[in-house]
Amino acid sequence: MTGPGFRAWIIWGTGVAAYMLAVTNRTSLAAVGVDAADRFQADAATLSLFAVVQLAVYGGMQIPIGILLDRYGSRPIMTIGMVLMAVGQLTMAVSPSVGVALVARMLLGAGDAAVFPAVLRLVATWFPAQRGPLMVQLTGILGQAGQLVAVIPIAAILHATDWTVTFGGIAGLCVLFAILVFALVRNRPPDRARDVSVDTDTGAIRVVTSTIDTGVGIRAALAHPGTRLAFWSHFTTPFAGTAFILLWGFPYLTAGEGLTTGQAGVLTSLYVFAGMALGPVLGELSRRAPNRRSRALVLPAVGVQLAAWTAVIAWPGPAPIWLLVILLIALAMGGPASMIAFDHARTHNPAHRLSTATGVTNAGGFLAALLAIFAIGFVLDLQGAGTPDTYRLEAFRVAFLVQIPLWVIGAVFISIERRRTRIHIGMDPPRRPRG
């Protein structure tokens, strides 16, 4: 394979566009959280439950989706995902109660779970292996642009029309993209009988579609410390940004810090643009230092986020705009840093369990995000600041402290699994038993 042809780029571009819409769906409550609280008369814990059930389904579906992708390929799984998101948003559009809205968010999470791993699989089957890290970063960068649609246009459309029109329109877009994906995406190049990935350094061709026992594939992926390193890297890096953008950032900036809706929209848009700018930088550094990714990139990204949040929380009174800008840029580092986790998964797993290992990895970040989102809402309620009328800055500051244990736990396990991975692949000698 000399390089991807025009058709490969069309297929990848369609997948990335679908991923952008999936991200828009995922974060569609980001700028309308206060409206949702008013519509459903929801306190902070209930509002956080919308995001928690969505992320719980998303995370729980990652391994099953990986197995299905290994068996059936990207095209059918991605198409079904778009249909599920359409049904979820249509249900959200007409939901009369919290219970129905929760079912809608579960459908949304199930559909969303299929899209990103499917696009990563398209990268593996349509592009040379040496382009993998760059294509993964580009996929993440372009996909996250979907947050811009969720931050500003959805809120503007909602306030110009109504709830049903807004979320019904998003459902219609999902139906359109289900048709486009089915029409344009193909699992593999036409000259291959089965999905394969090609290592252009060695010329080795590996079959991607797996017929091995499902349980064996999962156990084998988890048994390799490189997969566990990927899981904990993805667990630790993006959750703070996800919790901020997905639900709590907009209420914090407006009701807590006292910013206008326009100022909050600009800041959350900065998060997206900063992530897009940092992605190529971290991708290139990851390519140049493959054996030092954890210490040189992943753990420093965690430290920067922790330092920025500490400065904002410790600031007396409302934080100045310049400090909030630093916070949003620091949080934006988490997304590109989390893409390094997929480099670990791809490096340390054979191609026949590629999507299974990717699913294990992807579940990590969303497990941490749902824990953070629910814990923030729970702590707000404990302080009597669980509704839009009672939100206050000090309560938000206390609530955001729940992120610190997640960072600490993740950093510890990254260090442990990094050491085990290096021993496993022969880069470091095994530790001698004491005594």
Side-chain angles (χ1 to χ4, degrees):
M1 177 183 287
T2 58
F6 179 74
R7 190 179 188 187
W9 289 106
I10 290 293
I11 289 172
W12 175 76
T14 303
V16 169
Y19 177 46
M20 289 175 63
L21 181 57
V23 172
T24 299
N25 279 283
R26 182 189 308 166
T27 54
S28 56
L29 286 183
V32 297
V34 174
D35 300 88
D38 290 337
R39 176 180 174 87
F40 298 109
Q41 299 299 301
D43 59 17
T46 303
L47 189 61
S48 67
L49 200 58
F50 286 141
V52 166
V53 297
Q54 176 186 342
L55 292 179
V57 172
Y58 182 104
M61 288 293 293
Q62 285 304 301
I63 293 177
I65 288 293
I67 294 167
L68 290 171
L69 284 169
D70 279 338
R71 189 167 295 276
Y72 298 109
S74 296
R75 183 192 186 201
I77 304 305
M78 190 184 290
T79 302
I80 293 170
M82 300 309 296
V83 171
L84 284 174
M85 284 190 286
V87 175
Q89 290 291 35
L90 185 60
T91 304
M92 195 71 179
V94 300
S95 58
S97 64
V98 169
V100 175
L102 289 175
V103 172
R105 301 307 285 185
M106 292 173 69
L107 289 168
L108 206 61
D112 184 15
V115 180
F116 182 62
V119 181
L120 292 189
R121 185 183 184 85
L122 293 175
V123 170
T125 53
W126 283 90
F127 291 84
Q130 65 186 16
R131 295 198 183 189
L134 175 61
M135 296 303 298
V136 169
Q137 284 290 346
L138 285 176
T139 300
I141 290 167
L142 296 174
Q144 293 310 306
Q147 294 177 3
L148 295 175
V149 180
V151 167
I152 298 176
I154 287 181
I157 294 171
L158 176 61
H159 296 149
T161 57
D162 60 27
W163 186 275
T164 302
V165 170
T166 302
F167 287 92
I170 301 173
L173 277 176
C174 292
V175 172
L176 173 62
F177 269 84
I179 296 170
L180 287 175
V181 166
F182 189 79
L184 297 178
V185 171
R186 294 294 180 268
N187 288 344
R188 56 187 176 268
D191 58 342
R192 297 178 190 163
R194 304 176 73 184
D195 291 1
V196 298
S197 64
V198 181
D199 188 331
T200 55
D201 294 330
T202 64
I205 298 177
R206 289 178 172 177
V207 173
V208 174
T209 301
S210 174
T211 56
I212 63 172
D213 176 69
T214 295
V216 171
I218 297 172
R219 289 194 297 272
L222 288 172
H224 198 297
T227 305
R228 300 196 299 270
L229 174 60
F231 173 89
W232 287 110
S233 297
H234 202 260
F235 178 97
T236 314
T237 45
F239 77 84
T242 302
F244 195 91
I245 291 297
L246 197 63
L247 188 61
W248 292 120
F250 224 82
Y252 164 71
L253 293 173
T254 53
E257 292 287 351
L259 302 184
T260 66
T261 300
Q263 289 173 320
V266 170
L267 280 176
T268 48
S269 298
L270 173 65
Y271 169 89
V272 179
F273 287 120
M276 295 172 71
L278 290 168
V281 176
L282 291 185
E284 179 62 17
L285 292 174
S286 175
R287 186 187 68 82
R288 292 189 177 190
N291 299 324
R292 297 189 296 276
R293 290 166 174 161
S294 297
R295 286 187 175 178
L297 299 173
V298 174
L299 291 175
V302 174
V304 168
Q305 292 179 73
L306 174 58
W309 257 127
T310 301
V312 171
I313 291 172
W315 192 272
I321 291 292
W322 64 264
L323 185 55
L324 293 175
V325 167
I326 291 175
L327 172 66
L328 268 296
I329 294 174
L331 293 178
M333 291 184 66
S338 73
M339 294 295 105
I340 295 171
F342 298 107
D343 291 337
H344 288 311
R346 184 177 57 255
T347 299
H348 298 297
N349 285 275
H352 64 259
R353 61 170 186 257
L354 173 68
S355 294
T356 301
T358 297
V360 171
T361 301
N362 207 21
F366 291 92
L367 171 62
L370 74 87
L371 291 173
I373 288 170
F374 181 77
I376 290 167
F378 181 72
V379 174
L380 284 172
D381 277 344
L382 286 180
Q383 299 175 87
T387 62
D389 293 336
T390 58
Y391 287 156
R392 61 182 189 274
L393 180 57
E394 291 304 319
F396 273 113
R397 286 175 166 172
V398 173
F400 281 120
L401 290 174
V402 302
Q403 299 173 113
I404 294 176
L406 295 176
W407 278 316
V408 172
I409 291 170
V412 168
F413 277 100
I414 287 172
S415 299
I416 292 172
E417 298 301 346
R418 176 184 184 273
R419 173 66 176 168
R420 290 174 175 172
T421 300
R422 290 176 67 86
I423 292 173
H424 186 87
I425 63 179
M427 293 186 68
D428 288 343
R431 289 183 175 178
R432 295 179 178 179
R434 294 182 178 178

